[in-house]
Amino acid sequence: MVKLGKYAKILRLMYKDSLDVYYYPKVKKENGTTGYSDVPVYKVQNAQCKVSTSKDDTSETVNFDRNPVEKQMKVFCDVTLNVEKGDMIIARVLSDEGEVLATYQGLANKPDVFVTHQEIIIDVKDGLNASKIWGIKGFIKKS
């Protein structure tokens, strides 16, 4: 039987992009109810990864006044990173010189964990729903 764990180092050579992982912790409010903090807690910052497209964005050619971005990105990263379903991910595609070419932000799906790496699908969307949910305007930013 071949032990694949030793090949993880080879896969890491492809990790030229970077990612941050954070979440908003639950807090007890003054009135006794439970809600979410306005301050994010970062679990991972500037970790190396590989960002790839899982599902390309398509245009709504029938509706010219509203053409939302709906795209799925796949992030490949080290198996040791702590990423859970529901975490927020900021993934940056970097040039060979380290310049940010594109930034994608979205909600993480449950990671697929393998011996050599993990793969995380993030749903990237723009528009009112996304900005209301996460308090962020512009989910896809060209740098």
Side-chain angles (χ1 to χ4, degrees), residues 42-96:
Y42 280 82
K43 298 165 76 172
V44 175
Q45 286 186 296
N46 287 320
Q48 288 186 314
C49 69
K50 176 66 181 160
V51 179
S52 179
T53 302
S54 179
K55 178 184 169 203
D56 282 328
D57 184 32
T58 57
S59 292
E60 288 185 16
T61 55
V62 204
N63 190 358
F64 293 106
D65 63 336
R66 177 80 176 118
N67 193 6
V69 173
E70 292 186 14
K71 186 172 187 148
Q72 280 188 339
M73 303 302 291
K74 186 178 280 192
V75 178
F76 299 84
C77 61
D78 194 86
V79 72
T80 60
L81 296 182
N82 180 17
V83 181
E84 300 173 52
K85 180 178 175 76
D87 286 344
M88 290 298 301
I89 292 184
I90 302 172
R92 291 172 291 279
V93 178
L94 305 176
S95 70
D96 290 340

Side-chain angles (χ1 to χ4, degrees), residues 9-10 14 16-17 21 24 26 35 45 49 52 56 69 74 90 93 98 103 123 126 128 132 135 137:
K9 288 181 183 179
I10 296 170
M14 297 186 330
K16 302 294 183 192
D17 303 323
V21 180
Y24 292 95
K26 285 186 179 180
Q45 286 186 296
C49 69
S52 179
D56 282 328
V69 173
K74 186 178 280 192
I90 302 172
V93 178
T103 301
D123 293 314
D126 73 349
L128 284 175
K132 281 183 183 175
K137 296 177 178 172

Side-chain angles (χ1 to χ4, degrees), residues 4-23:
L4 297 176
K6 63 184 176 182
Y7 297 106
K9 288 181 183 179
I10 296 170
L11 284 176
R12 281 188 225 128
L13 293 174
M14 297 186 330
Y15 298 165
K16 302 294 183 192
D17 303 323
S18 71
L19 84 146
D20 298 337
V21 180
Y22 66 95
Y23 69 100

Side-chain angles (χ1 to χ4, degrees), residues 82-143:
N82 180 17
V83 181
E84 300 173 52
K85 180 178 175 76
D87 286 344
M88 290 298 301
I89 292 184
I90 302 172
R92 291 172 291 279
V93 178
L94 305 176
S95 70
D96 290 340
E97 291 76 32
E99 295 177 35
V100 177
L101 300 174
T103 301
Y104 301 99
Q105 182 164 345
L107 195 62
N109 288 303
K110 183 171 176 47
D112 292 320
V113 180
F114 303 96
V115 174
T116 54
H117 67 288
Q118 60 182 321
E119 299 175 12
I120 306 151
I121 301 259
I122 59 173
D123 293 314
V124 179
K125 299 182 181 189
D126 73 349
L128 284 175
N129 292 339
S131 62
K132 281 183 183 175
I133 293 169
W134 297 303
I136 298 167
K137 296 177 178 172
F139 267 59
I140 297 181
K141 301 174 190 167
K142 279 285 194 184
S143 300

